[in-house]
Amino acid sequence: MLLTTPFVTLLAVVGSALATPLVEVPEADVSHLEARAAANNIVKITSTTDYCMIVPKDKHTNIGDSEHPGGMTTYCSKPTDPSQGTFPANFWTKVTLKKAKGKNGKDFVQLTGCINPSSVDRLNANDGGGQYDSNGGAGGKGNPQGSQCTGYASYVELIEPDIKRACIRCCQDTADCPTNKDTQGCSSVIPGTYC
């Protein structure tokens, strides 16, 4: 059998490629990456009509009584996972979205306003409220532990059913999401527009 010139050239190229040693690629260092939070352990703020917040997992529970492992869950205006509850359209009676730069020039986004606590069966209308966050709680691991705000480094959220007020802020800089003012209420922790 007679080999033609193009075929011989092809064999030479393939043979040369096979003979070339493979380049060794170093293993990537992923030690700095954190695990993604479960869908029922996240918050997010996209708009006044697209958001997720932490609420008590059980019906008619005071915020403070829910602050234990397994006592909290995520509710969203537009759930993306079956483990998330659904906020009704009338949860916020007045809400304001704010995007800005924080103390050190990093981004934050927040929702502040007034709520209809009776629209969500997880809340008690006469509860003085409480705080959920990503960096407080035991050992600074969050409350609920491991919770995260989608696209941000940290968050702080307060729900105050008895005065029909709520607020949530997601921050790139933890300095803009203080967790040490939990008894001072929304207006102290997250200045914004309320009723």
Side-chain angles (χ1 to χ4, degrees):
M1 175 169 152
L2 187 59
L3 298 176
T4 62
T5 305
F7 184 70
V8 172
T9 304
L10 177 63
L11 283 177
V13 170
V14 170
S16 172
L18 291 174
T20 304
L22 296 175
V23 177
E24 197 169 306
V25 177
E27 208 170 293
D29 177 17
V30 294
S31 61
H32 64 284
L33 298 177
E34 294 184 27
R36 181 179 278 175
N40 65 350
N41 202 27
I42 60 134
V43 299
K44 78 171 186 176
I45 303 171
T46 304
S47 71
T48 59
T49 58
D50 187 7
Y51 59 90
C52 295
M53 297 172 69
I54 300 293
V55 297
K57 187 174 185 177
D58 297 323
K59 292 180 179 183
H60 309 292
T61 302
N62 289 339
I63 305 287
D65 294 339
S66 74
E67 295 177 1
H68 62 83
M72 299 155 274
T73 194
T74 296
Y75 263 50
C76 300
S77 57
K78 298 177 182 179
T80 59
D81 187 271
S83 67
Q84 299 170 335
T86 304
F87 277 118
N90 67 340
F91 173 68
W92 292 98
T93 59
K94 177 181 179 182
V95 62
T96 302
L97 173 77
K98 179 179 179 180
K99 294 181 180 184
K101 300 286 184 191
K103 297 173 186 172
N104 298 311
K106 294 190 177 181
D107 293 336
F108 73 80
V109 62
Q110 68 184 38
L111 292 176
T112 58
C114 298
I115 61 169
N116 175 6
S118 62
S119 69
V120 178
D121 67 359
R122 304 298 178 219
L123 303 177
N124 279 331
N126 61 353
D127 175 21
Q131 176 176 299
Y132 300 120
D133 54 64
S134 58
N135 298 77
K141 295 181 180 179
N143 192 20
Q145 188 170 354
S147 60
Q148 299 173 358
C149 180
T150 304
Y152 288 85
S154 63
Y155 81 92
V156 62
E157 168 194 328
L158 287 86
I159 301 176
E160 302 167 314
D162 65 335
I163 57 174
K164 297 179 173 60
R165 187 167 67 179
C167 55
I168 181 171
R169 180 186 279 181
C170 295
C171 311
Q172 293 299 5
D173 185 345
T174 57
D176 298 318
C177 282
T179 59
N180 61 344
K181 300 179 179 181
D182 57 328
T183 60
Q184 297 178 31
C186 275
S187 57
S188 293
V189 179
I190 305 175
T193 304
Y194 296 97
C195 299

